[in-house]
Amino acid sequence: MQDQNINLKKMKRFPLISIIILAVVNVSFLFLPLISVFGYEFSLFNSLLVTILSGVFAIRTMIYCRSEGRRKTLKELVKGLIILLLVPFIISLINSFFTGFCSFSNGLLFYFTFVFPAVIIGSACGAAALLLWERHKYIVYTLLLFAVALITLYEIYFNPQNFFYSPLFVYFSGTIYDEGLSVDLKLIFYRSANLFYFGILFFAAFFLWYKKATLKKRILLIAPFVLTAGCFVALSPYLGYSSTVRSLSNELDYRIETENFVIHFDPRVSDDEKELIALHHEYYYTELKKYFNEDVKQKIESFIFFDRKQKKNLFGAENADVAKPWLRQLYTTKDNFNSTLRHEIAHCFTSNFGGKIFKVAEWFNPSLIEGIAMAADPFYDDNYIDYVAALAFKNGYKINIRTLFEGLNFFSQNSSISYIYAGSFVKFLVDNYGIDKFKLLYTDIDFEKYYGKKLSFLIEDYKSYLSTWEADNKNEADYYFGRKSIFAKVCPRFIADQLTEAWDFFNEKKYNKAGEMFADVLKMSDNYSALTGLAAVFSQSGRKDSAIYLLKKNLNSYPGTAYFFNLQFQLADLYVVASNYSIADSIYSALQLENPNRTISNLSSMRIALKDFDTLLTIYVNGKNIDKYLILRQLNSKSYNYNSIPSVINLSEVLEENYNVFLKQFDKTLIVNSEASAYAVYKLSEYALKNLDYMRARRLAALSTRYKAEKNFSYIAQEQLKKSDWFYKNFYIKNNFITNK
């Protein structure tokens, strides 16, 4: 009896230690972004922690209570597991009581789906370890957890997928930039399967261990579970819980093989788009081969999804295009290829000099990984990357470049700032010291060793270079960099899901429901999408004055951000609809003067040109796309309004107008004598190239370079001329493409 009491006392020490560990870790979570919120990240990290502690607790309870019988053991085990389950929940509950919930029901659903199965999974692995080899139970337990984790690592490494489902890590959508994340039926089914599988494993191992089964019986018990797990892994691509090259190829079943690529297309992509995208692959490869001074060692496999929704379902990472250098694979959508394809191919080139099994920079340094890809594709929203970096540097968005290249500091601020500075600085190194030195740095981060200078001196040289750029428009800097990192946002996961649902209601014309949801979000956060959504609800419901009041009231909540200029523009449009043309004109004029970016400046200038036709302007602002298009054609009938031409192109494309019909309106000589006209002709060249009109694209690109603009525009115009010239001279290589439908 005394030995039993001693055993029980020893066993009870561990729950106390577990409680202390859980409490300390969860209190520390309260000071971390995202994890402090009672939601996805909180539940994810606690799920892993509770799984580990539950297994150890199950082992100790079974050992120390063995002489008490199975019922007593189970009773003690259940009591301890309930405590492990409640500790994080209570701490978060207390914290949320003082700081506020994003959504208690949403957080509870995450917690129940993630953490409740964790106690069963951990206990099952602990019981199985005890059954398999009691003498070395903790080693076996560790190996079992590692084996479960290894399945996830295997899928991420060898499969195309960027998402994963895992008993240990539960679920990851692909990247942190996909803010919207909720518990859906697919995840509930997966965790239910986890509960069923590991629940049976626990009870089978528990009862067999009590019976002191022979080695043969133990093996016979474990074998079916191993076989079942193997079958699930094999079937998971068909169930949507993983993806393989084969499963992706079944969906993206139109294949084009070029000299350097195997490209998989969704069959809905048109033949012209397939040709254009395939040729872009080869053009970018040619340019990157020159930049890196080498070929990729094998053909790159490229997956082109029809849209972001398909990409999310099959691959993960809805809002970010991705490459896996170690697989030499890249993944993008048909509408996004022209802005990201070169960047992702560049990642595949770095596999030649990347380190270890993932073929990336030392310690997965994100500033080096993304920096070299940005340097190899140095264009950002029709701007040259060094110009955008100079904008940040000269207008209040300086960052510590030294710390940017340390650890995971890349993610500590707005992603645009990190990408731009990392890319521009790496480009500076390559331009001044050559690509070969950077290749050595990539897997051995020692700047002084390879550049003969300390990093601090290299940074000073770089800052001196940025100072040579004319980039003094604070408004433009605010437009590109005045945004919050996901880590600084309030309830980003919950709000993103709420906004998606609200906009769905809006598009279904359920304005009352959409308005309620937008208003609820605004009570939690000064969210731009919710504000514009609520204003749109008011406008569509005939409450123009309410929409104007709402935007005016909240405009100054967004100083120094892109949202401020976008809201000004929307407010001006509302004044037009309300027939208050003088105020609208003053706002358009201010935006034209502020020039936060080309698009807003062009749209404002175009509306100013329409101001002499008040009725026409009202129809344009309030009209359908076809109305807008016809009005702009009328505006350009006698002479070109170059500020309107980018809008003419966009509307023609949205309306799916025949390209040859589109060209008929340009029957007058295009005169390039300003940056506005040069940019308009540049956009026409892009559109011609998109429509496989390579000769016209080259001619227009050459015309756009005639205006001696500041060097930012000169760089993008010269790049378009180089590209269109390559397409004109090399389009015939499409005849060598191998097509397999």
Side-chain angles (χ1 to χ4, degrees), residues 22 62 74 130 193 228 237 272 314-315 365 371 434 540 622 635 650 681 737:
L22 271 177
M62 289 170 65
L74 284 174
L130 202 56
T228 302
D272 284 352
L314 298 179
F315 171 73
N365 187 291
Q540 290 296 324
N622 210 30
L635 179 66
N650 291 336
V681 173
F737 294 168

Side-chain angles (χ1 to χ4, degrees), residues 599 602-603 620 625 628-629 632 643-657 662 665-666 679 683-684 686-687 690:
T599 299
N602 280 338
L603 291 173
Y620 179 85
N625 286 332
K628 295 176 188 288
Y629 187 57
L632 292 186
N643 290 306
S644 72
I645 287 178
S647 294
V648 171
I649 294 169
N650 291 336
L651 287 167
S652 177
E653 190 169 14
V654 169
L655 293 168
E656 298 181 346
E657 181 182 35
F662 165 81
Q665 64 190 294
F666 296 98
Y679 183 70
K683 298 304 287 185
L684 284 170
E686 279 192 333
Y687 195 52
K690 191 171 185 178

